[in-house]
Amino acid sequence: MTTLTYKQTDIDVFMNQLKERHPGENEFHQAVHEVAESVFPIIEQNPAYQKANIFERLVEPDRIVIFRVTWEDDQGNVQVNRGYRVQFNNAIGPYKGGLRFHPSVSLGTFKFLGFEQIFKNSLTTLPMGGAKGGSDFDPKGKSDAEVMRFCQSFMLELFRHIGYNIDIPAGDIGVGAREISYLFGMYKKIQNNFTGTITGKALGMGGSLIRTEATGYGCVYFAQEMLNHINDSIQGKTCVVSGSGNVAQYTCEKLIELGGKVVTFSDSGGYIYDQNGITKEKLEFIKDLKNVRRGRIKEYAEKYGVEFFENERPWSQACDLAFPCATQNELNESDAKNLISNGCKVISEGANMPCDPDAIRLFRENKVLFGLGKAANAGGVAVSGLEMSQNRMGYSWTREDLDNRLKTIMKDIHAQCLEYGQESDFVDYVKGANIAGFKKVADALVAYGVH
Ligand code: NDP
């Protein structure tokens, strides 16, 4: 690649080169562009970063593994899927990041997620590098036995590439408690060794208290920090949440506890609007619907007599706070316009990159407090890091202890955002989080020398 001078104007040149080297991987381009805009001015001021060619090194994954996963369905047909693990960067700790099972994924999805994970893990202050992986396997509509056979076959290859000081996977979309148990069971059997190589495990098999709740709780703690900073709170606020999986459920749980009123939930079929607010009891119904019966959010509308908006997203509903907790690019410019004109003051991203670049631009221009995913949803991987610590010690911390540690980590992430993102009358969380996450990794790479 051509050596750049790291002036702001060079971002276009850099991005064109990146697009040529990684063609068609739009989500990866989008994730890199956002970080480049924040950190190019920092690199421009730092000759050591320039000499080390730091950003070109950072956008090139350390290693990518792609493999065939063969399994048998309940009818005896042999099925083939593709497995991936992108080990992006281990400058500050072993590779760490979730596994996603969803039919839409491609290599570019895992590059985008692995790249984001580098900076997110750095922000947690724990020693973890960035990685991500998964498969185009769709757990939806599969029997438990089919999911088990798929997970076992997936691990029959993945086990070669992971290890508890090497790479520690966890869950993500489509990979919850059931999948983690099948994956970890197979890993432990192949290795004949009980180590904490996967996080998000059930409590009885070395899992950590609060891990299931951590991403959602952390996302609300981050929103609370943003609000505290402007002398406000969650109490009495109307909240719009998207998704209805792990992150959405525990975002809602914590919002209810802190006095917020959650009026929406969604899945890929549409969203429900409950103007009276989702109560603890109604949330228990959603947990059972989604985690046990594996049904559709539409059933909530039928059960509680509220409106269901088929194939729509919830961003046109009036709210004070918005929590996109489903998937990437689920909130665009026109959604952002709706949110702003309806009075939304805070966005805290539970999902990874749910707001597209035009939406983010509008939020920043309108001084909406915008907590980007790599800061706001870092609570999940942070408690995964604490699960690793507990596994190493052979000891478990209490729920209260872990919740306090999670709160402290989210406060600390917020403080790092302020350090680099505080403007005269506004906090630019995008800039703050990207620079803080980047500097630690870049300093480590410079110190290691060239290899
Ligand atoms: P789940 O699989 O538990 O839930 C995902 C939810 O998002 C479901 O309601 C799903 O609906 C919806 N969804 C997924 N894909 C789409 C799509 N293409 N269009 C519309 N809706 C969609 O996943 P999680 O809750 O674990 O993850 C949600 C987000 O949070 C992801 O971006 C993930 O990367 C991020 N995240 C998760 C962490 C974790 O600890 N789990 C940690 C940090 C970030 P449906 O069932 O219809 O597909």
Side-chain angles (χ1 to χ4, degrees), residues 243-244 264-273 285-286 289-290 293-312:
S244 49
T264 63
F265 253 81
S266 72
D267 64 19
S268 51
Y271 80 93
I272 59 100
Y273 176 71
F285 170 83
I286 294 173
L289 172 70
K290 285 292 173 179
R293 292 189 285 125
R294 300 183 190 279
R296 311 304 299 156
I297 200 64
K298 189 178 180 189
E299 293 171 48
Y300 179 103
E302 287 153 12
K303 166 128 179 120
Y304 293 107
V306 303
E307 210 168 342
F308 175 67
F309 296 83
E310 194 160 356
N311 294 326
E312 285 187 44

Side-chain angles (χ1 to χ4, degrees), residues 55-167:
F55 206 66
E56 282 78 350
R57 284 162 70 179
L58 261 179
V59 300
E60 197 64 35
D62 289 354
R63 188 174 301 103
I64 295 175
V65 187
I66 302 180
F67 50 97
R68 188 190 68 245
V69 186
T70 315
W71 56 283
E72 211 173 282
D73 68 20
D74 286 347
Q75 286 69 48
N77 304 310
V78 175
Q79 302 283 351
V80 179
N81 285 96
R82 193 171 285 170
Y84 302 84
R85 188 70 179 163
V86 177
Q87 297 180 330
F88 221 117
N89 187 293
N90 69 353
I92 61 167
Y95 303 108
K96 177 94 195 90
L99 297 172
R100 176 177 292 191
F101 292 169
H102 197 275
S104 68
V105 300
S106 63
L107 179 57
T109 317
F110 295 118
K111 280 195 199 163
F112 124 61
L113 289 164
F115 184 73
E116 291 278 290
Q117 199 80 41
I118 303 171
F119 308 100
K120 180 190 307 193
N121 293 2
S122 165
L123 284 168
T124 66
T125 71
L126 301 174
M128 300 183 288
K132 201 83 185 189
S135 173
D136 58 357
F137 173 75
D138 187 0
K140 257 194 229 116
K142 304 287 191 303
S143 69
D144 286 351
E146 288 174 324
V147 171
M148 178 187 77
R149 289 193 291 273
F150 173 81
C151 289
Q152 292 178 339
S153 181
F154 182 84
M155 188 50 82
L156 270 173
E157 175 60 35
L158 186 71
F159 87 95
R160 299 172 211 290
H161 312 290
I162 61 176
Y164 103 114
N165 283 319
I166 302 169
D167 183 354

Side-chain angles (χ1 to χ4, degrees), residues 17-26 28-29 108 111:
Q17 291 176 348
L18 184 94
K19 286 173 190 170
E20 268 175 39
R21 266 175 89 78
H22 306 264
E25 297 177 341
N26 298 341
F28 179 50
H29 306 158
K111 280 195 199 163

Side-chain angles (χ1 to χ4, degrees), residues 353-368:
M353 211 167 74
C355 299
D356 80 8
D358 292 325
I360 297 176
R361 180 182 41 73
L362 272 188
F363 291 141
R364 290 165 91 185
E365 279 169 12
N366 286 277
K367 306 212 163 141
V368 172

Side-chain angles (χ1 to χ4, degrees), residues 100-102 104 112-113 117 120 132 138 140 170-176 211-212 214-216 242-249 265-270 290-291 295-297 313 324-328 330 349-354 373 377-381 384:
R100 176 177 292 191
F101 292 169
H102 197 275
S104 68
F112 124 61
L113 289 164
Q117 199 80 41
K120 180 190 307 193
K132 201 83 185 189
D138 187 0
K140 257 194 229 116
D172 191 77
I173 292 179
V175 179
R211 175 60 190 93
T212 310
T215 309
S242 67
S244 49
N246 170 271
V247 180
Q249 291 170 19
F265 253 81
S266 72
D267 64 19
S268 51
K290 285 292 173 179
N291 308 346
R296 311 304 299 156
I297 200 64
R313 297 180 294 197
C325 296
T327 194
Q328 62 270 19
E330 57 161 316
E349 291 188 322
N352 285 308
M353 211 167 74
N377 73 36
V381 73
S384 274

